[in-house]
Amino acid sequence: MLHCINMTLPKTHPRYQSLCIRERLTDGVRTGITSQAGLIAHGRGEAFDYLLGECTTESAMRSEEAAVAMLLAASRPVLSVNGNVAALVPGEIIELGRVLNSVIEINLFYKTEERVRAIADHLRLYGASGVRGEHPDTVLLPLPPDHPRSRVCKGGIYDADVVLVPLEDGDRCQALADMGKSVIAIDLNPLSRTAKAATVTIVDNVVRAIPNMIKLAIRMKDLDVDLLDGIISRYDNEETLRAAIEELVTRGVAEV
Ligand code: PTJ
């Protein structure tokens, strides 16, 4: 549950949580963390979340379990952070990185040095150390090398075997998959190119998905690698996306 920072809104307001999320993002834009396009991306996500009933569905829970199994079984797991993630779940993404023993890399679509620095400082305020992305030193091979969004870090995303990309753009998700990485996307839109290109797609709001993943990671971190592999091999992303669309439609129709 997120709480509002500045807004004097009673917690009993029926849209309290949703308004707090908006406040975090507008505050993120004000402090130079979130891009203006991040607000538009949020609006799209919010519409899907509304149809999903603003809760973690059964299929999302299955994806979250498979994602955690994959990150725990990985040799070089990396969590990618953008301006929306930094504004919404800064402490939680650091905590997930700590439990999973995973590298955190700031990787932006609308990249400017100022925003990367602002996000790195913001994450440090929440206790992060060793965050990558301030000095990206190589490029993702399948993307045009002249575009700033292609720049990533050696020892970070470039060398990762499993990458978590919350709210990612379709091209970059595809580029990571083309490089042979397992890609875990968090995207409320089950029809997006990102959702289709990822190895595991979590159709859930990042404000619920990351805390769920922390709990799962704590519970699963001592599991034998065979058990983790079993969870991963039983998971089918196409089937899970179909279930997510069904949940969305059923719930949306029930509301009419
Ligand atoms: O900070 P930057 O510069 O890296 O930019 C980040 C954004 C998100 C602006 C950028 O990656 C972008 O433009 O993303 P897209 O292509 O608009 O995709 C964002 C996807 O995330 C959409 O499919 C939304 O439905 C979904 N989404 C939005 N808010 C959430 C979400 N998914 C999960 N949780 C959310 N809170």
Side-chain angles (χ1 to χ4, degrees), residues 45-238:
E46 199 181 65
F48 282 105
D49 207 14
Y50 199 81
L51 290 173
L52 284 170
E54 296 169 330
C55 61
T56 301
T57 61
E58 268 177 49
S59 69
M61 201 34 123
R62 282 201 298 280
S63 307
E64 284 160 15
E65 187 193 42
V68 169
M70 214 169 244
L71 287 158
L72 285 170
S75 310
R76 295 171 307 281
V78 175
L79 313 183
S80 178
V81 171
N82 65 18
N84 288 49
V85 173
L88 292 177
V89 282
E92 292 84 348
I93 199 83
I94 293 162
E95 175 64 4
L96 184 62
R98 196 189 56 73
V99 181
L100 292 168
N101 202 12
S102 171
V103 167
I104 292 181
E105 179 166 335
I106 300 164
N107 201 263
L108 304 183
F109 188 82
Y110 300 100
K111 190 174 261 167
T112 65
E113 278 186 24
E114 293 72 32
R115 274 188 67 223
V116 174
R117 208 172 316 117
I119 292 172
D121 288 344
H122 184 64
L123 294 180
R124 281 192 278 267
L125 274 181
Y126 279 83
S129 62
V131 172
R132 291 174 195 250
E134 284 184 277
H135 310 288
D137 46 17
T138 189
V139 294
L140 286 178
L141 298 178
L143 282 177
D146 52 339
H147 196 287
R149 78 196 156 119
S150 71
R151 299 207 71 81
V152 291
C153 290
K154 286 212 183 98
I157 289 177
Y158 187 80
D159 294 306
D161 54 348
V162 179
V163 195
L164 173 73
V165 286
L167 288 74
E168 184 56 279
D169 130 82
D171 277 1
R172 208 163 38 183
C173 183
Q174 189 63 58
L176 292 166
D178 289 348
M179 287 175 80
K181 301 175 192 303
S182 297
V183 186
I184 301 162
I186 303 179
D187 194 328
L188 279 161
N189 178 2
L191 303 164
S192 71
R193 284 187 309 130
T194 299
K196 289 179 187 157
T199 322
V200 172
T201 306
I202 299 170
V203 182
D204 199 2
N205 197 316
V206 74
V207 304
R208 296 188 297 270
I210 301 291
N212 288 344
M213 289 172 78
I214 295 172
K215 285 192 207 124
L216 285 164
I218 292 170
R219 208 181 307 150
M220 291 163 67
K221 75 176 169 19
D222 296 322
L223 286 187
D224 196 86
V225 79
D226 289 344
L227 282 173
L228 296 176
D229 284 345
I231 294 171
I232 298 164
S233 62
R234 279 193 299 277
Y235 180 80
D236 180 332
N237 205 44
E238 260 181 50

Side-chain angles (χ1 to χ4, degrees), residues 4-22:
C4 294
I5 317 167
N6 305 314
M7 227 173 14
T8 49
L9 191 73
K11 289 192 179 134
T12 50
H13 190 289
R15 303 297 304 154
Y16 178 78
Q17 176 71 3
S18 169
L19 292 168
C20 290
I21 294 176
R22 288 184 178 184

